[in-house]
Amino acid sequence: MNAKVDVWQGTLGLMVLKTLETMGPQHGYGVARRIEQISGDRLLVNYGTLYPALLKLEQDGYISAEWGVSDNNRRAKYYTLTAAGRKRLRTEAQQWVETTGIMARFLSAEGQNL
Amino acid sequence: MRSIRTFLVRLAASFFRKAGWERDLAAEIEGNLELQIEDNRRRGMTPAEARRAALLKFGGIESIKENYRDQKGLPFLESLVQDLRHSLRTLRKSPVFALVAVVSLGLGIGANTAIFSLIDALLLRELPVREPHRLFALTQTGRKFLKPSSNIRYGFFRQLEKEHQILSGIFAFSGSPRSNVMVGSQGEVTDALMVSHDYFRVLGVEPQIGRTFESGEENVVVISYRYWKRRFAGDLSVPGRSIAINGAPYTVIGVTPPEFFGPIVGTWIDVTIPAFGGGTKPMPMADDDDLTWVMGRIANGVTEQQASASLTASAQRWMESRGSRQRPAILLEPAGRGLSFLREQFSKPLYILMAMVALVLLIACANVAGLLLARASAREQEFAIRLGIGASRGRLVRQLLTESILLSLLGGVTGLLFARWSAEAVAAFVSTLKDPVWLDTSVNMHVFGFALLAAAVTGILFGVAPALQGTRLDLTAALKQGGRSARGAIGVRFRQVLVAGQVALTVLLVAGATLFARSLNNLRNLDTGFQRDSVLMMSLDPAQIGYKDQRIARLYEQILDRVERVPGVRSATFLRNNLLANASTLTSIVVPGRLPQPEDEMELTPGIKIGNATRSFTVGPRFVETMGMTLLEGRDLRRTDRFGTPLVAVVNESFARYFYPGESAVGKRFGYGPDKPNAVEIIGVVKDVKHKQLREPATRTMYGAALQDPGSWRDTTLNVRTALDPARVAPSLRQAIADVVPGLPVFNVAPSQRMFEDSVVTERTLALLSGFFGILALLLASIGLYGLLAYSVEKRQNEIGVRLALGARPGDVLAMVVRETAVLIVAGLMLGLPATVVAGRWIATFLYGLTPADPTALALTVAALGTVGVLSVWMPARKAARTDPMIALRHE
């Protein structure tokens, strides 16, 4: 089974921040592509969610947006991580690592401590 | 913090919407779409395939826009603003509806706000001082007192003044009898307060101008802001000015802030004088004297219990050092809301009135709910269309609720305006000559919040039902009916219940008002045993200008001499405790040949009993004649019954019958103690009089001759019977007194009818206000009833047309509508009347000479409701009877 999954509620923002951190300023399409690629094409980014999510991050002040020109000369809106966004990314990533760590330990614990 | 920022960004986006964002988004999507297409082509798709796949991937552009829009602004707020605009438009289209609704609600909310603002001022609000919750009133257990007293000894108080660990500060105060204050040559009687020098500092009241008292200072005065504005025209150079208080010179040193009225809620203190400082002026104090009122501020970090325990220990040590064996405790009572003598008297009447106005508001709510229901059913088609094209029912309900909350807020604003003047008027109602009531009823945050809350709650109360009912639609039916209601009957039934409920509530209010009015009337028609017309009374206090003992007696003889020569005066006398002043004294007497019995005891105040007692008053010559009392036997007191002559007294019927059953009391003797058993001779017997208050049973009473017993008189009332209108004689009487003693303060000049009116102030206030609310309720109920009938006749025009066409006579139609009304009113009465009798128990203490089930009051209520019914039914019924069947049927 290789069914594609929609990005889980609440995780898209974090993925966007991470993408912008690693790739630098990026347009919406680029962000979506990158997320899908990293997931080995198992995640599907819905544009109806992506643009509002980008807007929300912008309203929160985590990213800033600017019009620019893409490699192949297309006008595109480029998003850049702000200082606040960088901080936010760190704390949120930390929380995720902890959560997944706990979940992983919890799920692999069967048989040992039960 | 970030969420606030985000909120503001979105709020700004909501209000300063730039059309640009939509184009921007479109461009962004467009650009990204192109990028996707290029990527697809690079992966080897044909241009058409690439485009198709990209479009598929992006999904519906419109739905992206929709999501984006929701994130961009604040959708809730936007739809609220939209709803408000829509509501305002619809209200403007039906101004009569809007006016009736807003005015009904305004009256309802206004009445509630007015009564609440009184409750707030009298019962809830804290004094405008620093940290009022730390203020406590101190009392010491021990002796029982007749006059208000803290029972705290002056010496102990002086010790506490120097300690600061438990109480960071302490002060004492006491009201002085109304004082005569001269500014220049202008005299005026006003409320003065004597305070210890730390008073202002402990309260934390900073003077507006000038300064407050220093320790040991005498003959200085701090005046209130109001007094400063009124008597000194707000002159900034007032510190240093000289004024005279009861003849003694004082220097004004400061003015209090505008909101500060003193420690007593209900009394505005204009003049504050330092006392209790150890000096002699204006009142010398010895260490063992007790102080009237003491308040302290608990120090930081000290609890009430700790303070009370520690103060009790100190008080016991102090009492011990004075050689007393008493072990008193110090009790602390929160005093942040100040002292008040009105609280006890008026808190229950205020709660009764609050309950009444709440009912009025409910009636108003029912009216508006009825109106809204009618509107909702007229707008059925509009709703059906909106539901049909995809609006959710929740959205419609929200819009209707917005409309009703808008109405109620408009009503709330009207109500605040209404409350603004009516609360003042009510405060004036409860004022008496002796205790002018001043309450701060200005609109503050409490009151404003209350009005807002009342408006919001009522908005929901009357809005929810119509909104839910109005939007529960069978779409097809509603649309097919083309604007005429598909199921008007449900709406009508609901409104019938509302109207019956209104009638029931109105019955409660009208019956309550009638009961109060009849009680007041009973009190007014009560045989008091004296005649209160044509008597002028005025208070004098020669002690204020230094007269004592025998000189006071001499002075009164001169005043009576002079006053009785004034044209228009029939006779004059004076009393220590005036009629109906709610004051009296008890005296123990010895009746020779009679053994004291347990039932000779009388209760002075709860808990204090006096043996062999009689009530006693000290009165001047010609007392019986001047007060218009009935002499049954013997003679009145005379001018010749003066100091040095054998003691005489007039007694009342109850006294005579109690001590001398079956024989004449005149000529009998009694005394004040075993050593003087025969000191007083009874010279006359009068009919019983309601002397202390109206609601008292006959009580044995003796009237001693004041001129024979000049003792320590203070504060007497001169009563003058006149041949003319008493008010017209007043100026010449004032002049006559000034001729005898220039500078003697004369105050509270009024016809004695006023004294009577003051003694029924609670009953009068209740009767007047409940009457007003009763009329308001009748008015609102008749609007509700009329509205319903007019509406249902209109709705049933068809049915009536058919009936008439089938042979019903107009009389039958008339009878049908009248019957319908009668059912509603009877249903309301059947609910309301028993409720009145039950609720009546709660108000029974304010009734006089009748019970809550008073047949006359209930009959009057039924008659009032009947009248309202007839008035409301008349027009709709006539209209129904005059229906032309042809027109009615074609109307279909």
Side-chain angles (χ1 to χ4, degrees), chain B residues 321-335:
Chain B
S321 75
R322 302 297 291 180
S324 163
R325 278 189 308 192
Q326 282 187 51
R327 287 288 170 273
I330 298 288
L331 306 177
L332 295 181
E333 229 183 298

Side-chain angles (χ1 to χ4, degrees), chain B residues 783-805:
Chain B
I783 291 175
L785 194 56
Y786 169 80
L788 171 64
L789 292 171
Y791 175 75
S792 93
V793 165
E794 168 93 32
K795 282 268 150 181
R796 291 163 63 187
Q797 214 176 15
N798 242 216
E799 176 204 328
I800 293 169
V802 171
R803 279 171 191 261
L804 287 172

Side-chain angles (χ1 to χ4, degrees), chain B residues 122-169:
Chain B
L122 188 60
L123 306 173
L124 305 179
R125 204 179 312 160
E126 296 191 309
L127 294 176
V129 300
R130 174 164 47 88
E131 293 188 301
H133 62 275
R134 286 187 184 279
L135 283 179
F136 286 84
L138 280 70
T139 46
Q140 180 171 324
T141 57
R143 294 186 238 169
K144 294 258 187 180
F145 284 90
L146 310 182
K147 50 172 182 156
S149 168
S150 66
N151 197 17
I152 286 178
R153 307 295 190 275
Y154 179 63
F156 180 51
F157 169 77
R158 294 286 281 179
Q159 178 190 321
L160 290 180
E161 259 187 329
K162 289 180 214 108
E163 293 169 3
H164 299 286
Q165 292 87 1
I166 302 299
L167 297 176
S168 63

Side-chain angles (χ1 to χ4, degrees), chain B residues 727-805:
Chain B
R728 285 180 40 210
V729 188
S732 34
L733 283 176
R734 275 178 181 278
Q735 187 52 50
I737 293 166
D739 287 350
V740 179
V741 223
L744 175 67
V746 175
F747 47 98
N748 293 350
V749 181
S752 79
Q753 177 66 25
R754 174 72 200 261
M755 200 68 196
F756 174 82
E757 282 299 322
D758 283 356
S759 76
V760 294
V761 60
T762 315
E763 288 84 356
R764 196 183 55 222
T765 307
L766 278 172
L768 268 172
L769 291 178
S770 67
F772 176 69
F773 299 143
I775 288 171
L776 199 58
L778 279 173
L779 196 71
L780 290 172
S782 62
I783 291 175
L785 194 56
Y786 169 80
L788 171 64
L789 292 171
Y791 175 75
S792 93
V793 165
E794 168 93 32
K795 282 268 150 181
R796 291 163 63 187
Q797 214 176 15
N798 242 216
E799 176 204 328
I800 293 169
V802 171
R803 279 171 191 261
L804 287 172

Side-chain angles (χ1 to χ4, degrees), chain A residues 29 36 51 60 72 74 79, chain B residues 2 6 28 38-39 57:
Chain A
Y29 171 70
E36 288 174 351
Y51 292 115
D60 288 343
N72 37 16
R74 298 233 171 257
Y79 296 93
Chain B
R2 195 155 292 278
T6 310
E28 187 176 5
E38 272 164 38
D39 267 3
K57 173 92 172 72

Side-chain angles (χ1 to χ4, degrees), chain B residues 79-392:
Chain B
S79 64
L80 183 72
V81 170
Q82 220 179 353
D83 283 351
L84 275 176
R85 283 213 191 103
H86 183 86
S87 303
L88 275 175
R89 261 203 315 274
T90 37
L91 287 184
R92 215 178 308 144
K93 265 191 266 168
S94 33
V96 176
F97 160 76
L99 191 74
V100 170
V102 168
V103 169
S104 324
L105 289 172
L107 287 173
I109 294 175
N112 274 274
T113 310
I115 299 296
F116 176 79
S117 68
L118 289 176
I119 288 183
D120 177 52
L122 188 60
L123 306 173
L124 305 179
R125 204 179 312 160
E126 296 191 309
L127 294 176
V129 300
R130 174 164 47 88
E131 293 188 301
H133 62 275
R134 286 187 184 279
L135 283 179
F136 286 84
L138 280 70
T139 46
Q140 180 171 324
T141 57
R143 294 186 238 169
K144 294 258 187 180
F145 284 90
L146 310 182
K147 50 172 182 156
S149 168
S150 66
N151 197 17
I152 286 178
R153 307 295 190 275
Y154 179 63
F156 180 51
F157 169 77
R158 294 286 281 179
Q159 178 190 321
L160 290 180
E161 259 187 329
K162 289 180 214 108
E163 293 169 3
H164 299 286
Q165 292 87 1
I166 302 299
L167 297 176
S168 63
I170 189 169
F171 62 90
F173 61 98
S174 125
S176 82
R178 308 202 70 196
S179 308
N180 188 36
V181 180
M182 303 275 285
V183 176
S185 59
Q186 288 275 307
E188 194 183 87
V189 172
T190 191
D191 284 307
L193 193 73
M194 292 191 282
V195 303
S196 61
H197 68 272
D198 263 347
Y199 171 74
F200 288 111
R201 259 183 302 280
V202 177
L203 283 177
V205 171
E206 296 291 331
Q208 184 84 3
I209 57 172
R211 60 178 180 89
T212 59
F213 308 128
E214 295 303 329
S215 176
E217 232 178 351
E218 282 180 351
N219 289 57
V220 289
V221 56
V222 169
I223 58 175
S224 77
Y225 186 85
R226 196 180 72 165
Y227 201 67
W228 174 57
K229 282 280 180 199
R230 188 161 59 79
R231 294 208 71 182
F232 296 93
D235 180 5
L236 284 170
S237 66
V238 78
R241 287 276 294 272
S242 259
I243 60 173
I245 301 176
N246 295 334
Y250 281 81
T251 307
V252 178
I253 58 166
V255 177
T256 55
E259 72 280 1
F260 183 70
F261 54 84
I264 304 165
V265 174
T267 307
W268 185 295
I269 301 295
D270 278 328
V271 171
T272 312
I273 309 166
F276 316 113
T280 53
K281 284 183 254 174
M283 194 167 64
M285 296 286 290
D287 275 357
D288 287 313
D289 288 347
D290 53 87
L291 293 160
T292 317
W293 292 298
V294 177
M295 279 191 196
R297 180 180 285 282
I298 288 191
N300 269 334
V302 178
T303 67
E304 192 182 335
Q305 288 78 9
Q306 288 167 344
S308 174
S310 163
L311 290 169
T312 296
S314 314
Q316 290 182 353
R317 273 198 301 280
W318 192 84
M319 293 298 278
E320 210 176 324
S321 75
R322 302 297 291 180
S324 163
R325 278 189 308 192
Q326 282 187 51
R327 287 288 170 273
I330 298 288
L331 306 177
L332 295 181
E333 229 183 298
R337 293 179 300 127
L339 285 180
S340 182
F341 314 111
L342 298 171
R343 264 181 209 141
E344 205 181 325
Q345 188 185 359
F346 284 108
S347 58
K348 193 167 174 204
L350 276 176
Y351 286 130
I352 290 176
L353 290 171
M354 193 76 221
M356 295 187 98
V357 289
L359 295 186
V360 170
L361 186 55
L362 272 182
I363 295 174
C365 278
N367 258 1
V368 181
L371 289 172
L372 283 175
L373 267 178
R375 268 166 70 78
S377 81
R379 285 162 72 183
E380 227 163 58
Q381 205 186 15
E382 174 200 333
F383 297 152
I385 292 172
R386 289 174 65 179
L387 287 171
I389 58 175
S392 70

